[in-house]
Amino acid sequence: MHENQFTMRFCARSENEKFARSVVAAFAAQKDPTLDILQDIKTAVSEAVTNAIIHGYRGREEGEVELSACWQGHVLSITVRDFGAGIADVPRAMEPFFTTSPEGEERSGMGFCVMQAFMDDVRVTSAPGQGTSVILKKSVCAPARADGATKIFETY
Amino acid sequence: MIDYTMQAGRLTVLLGGELDHGSAPRIRRAIDTLIAKYSPQVLAVDVGALTFMDSSGLGVLMGRYKNMARRGGRIVVKNATGTVERIFAMSGVYQVMEKE
């Protein structure tokens, strides 16, 4: 059976960061993740979308962010893509505390670190002038119960 | 505006709702306005009521740390739990800020 998926594009505006989080959370909720897993996913998506808005289109008034997600069994695969500036040195950009933002903007440079800490897998593809694509993956299966109890009630 | 209390040189600001790149500038300005108004020795940032925070919140906190440090003051983080606490802990902010 073809797995469920969605793709959407929205303006690279900061007010859409919350919107993007909400969309992915609603999609992830289809497989009944724990609240902690849901929060992890929302946080990582927020980091990726914020990066796209701030760095992908710095100095430009117009730009779009593409957000897509699909299920691979119980693994949620999310892609955040911009069509902007691109990253010249991806490994360096992913180092903790590295930021190209001016000091007045008070960016922590921890966006990629948060993504890596909160998701199971993070892949970044980028090149100068070619935009950036960030793929985030997270299993939404809750860990097995230590007492081996079987779930006997279903929630509808 | 944000909720706050000022007592005995300690300014406590209570953050609620969602703290992200979009809301960070407003929160930053509000806290800096209070710091300028009251010149506290201690800025306590209570994050217990936040329903969401990403690393933008770290930027706000570090900026306020620099502001307080320039004034000879210090900063305390209160009631960080869950995801908020994980972000603070991984960043090392507790090396320069107290935790309550």
Side-chain angles (χ1 to χ4, degrees), chain A residues 18-97:
Chain A
K18 180 175 180 176
F19 170 63
R21 296 195 293 268
S22 300
V23 167
V24 176
F27 191 76
Q30 292 173 358
K31 299 236 177 174
D32 198 24
T34 65
L35 289 177
D36 283 348
I37 288 176
L38 209 53
Q39 199 71 340
D40 285 356
I41 292 170
K42 287 174 66 178
T43 306
V45 167
S46 193
E47 301 290 355
V49 169
T50 299
N51 276 356
I53 292 170
I54 293 176
H55 300 295
Y57 300 109
R58 179 179 299 281
R60 289 168 54 179
E61 288 190 354
E62 294 182 4
E64 282 193 332
V65 178
E66 183 178 274
L67 174 65
S68 59
C70 68
W71 287 108
Q72 298 166 343
H74 278 278
V75 174
L76 180 61
S77 179
I78 304 160
T79 302
V80 178
R81 189 175 169 201
D82 71 72
F83 308 93
I87 304 170
D89 187 339
V90 171
R92 180 136 195 263
M94 296 181 73
E95 290 175 3
F97 307 110

Side-chain angles (χ1 to χ4, degrees), chain B residues 56-81:
Chain B
S56 301
L58 265 179
V60 172
L61 210 64
M62 289 308 301
R64 297 328 26 83
Y65 165 76
K66 291 176 184 175
N67 189 350
M68 289 297 293
R70 278 194 299 269
R71 295 165 176 267
R74 59 190 178 88
I75 188 168
V76 172
V77 179
K78 292 185 61 169
N79 299 318
T81 60

Side-chain angles (χ1 to χ4, degrees), chain A residues 74-75 115-122 136-140:
Chain A
H74 278 278
V75 174
M115 289 183 236
Q116 289 172 316
F118 285 29
M119 301 299 282
D120 297 333
D121 190 65
V122 178
L136 309 165
K137 294 192 178 186
K138 180 100 174 166
S139 170
V140 300

Side-chain angles (χ1 to χ4, degrees), chain B residues 18-93:
Chain B
E18 303 198 355
L19 175 49
D20 63 6
H21 168 244
S23 61
R26 174 180 58 81
I27 292 170
R28 178 193 318 148
R29 283 193 298 270
I31 298 177
D32 283 346
T33 297
L34 290 170
I35 291 173
K37 179 176 180 179
Y38 292 108
S39 295
Q41 284 125 32
V42 178
L43 169 66
V45 183
D46 191 328
V47 295
L50 283 176
T51 56
F52 176 84
M53 190 193 83
D54 63 14
S55 66
S56 301
L58 265 179
V60 172
L61 210 64
M62 289 308 301
R64 297 328 26 83
Y65 165 76
K66 291 176 184 175
N67 189 350
M68 289 297 293
R70 278 194 299 269
R71 295 165 176 267
R74 59 190 178 88
I75 188 168
V76 172
V77 179
K78 292 185 61 169
N79 299 318
T81 60
T83 305
V84 176
E85 169 61 14
R86 286 174 65 193
I87 291 175
F88 286 154
M90 75 170 60
S91 70
V93 292

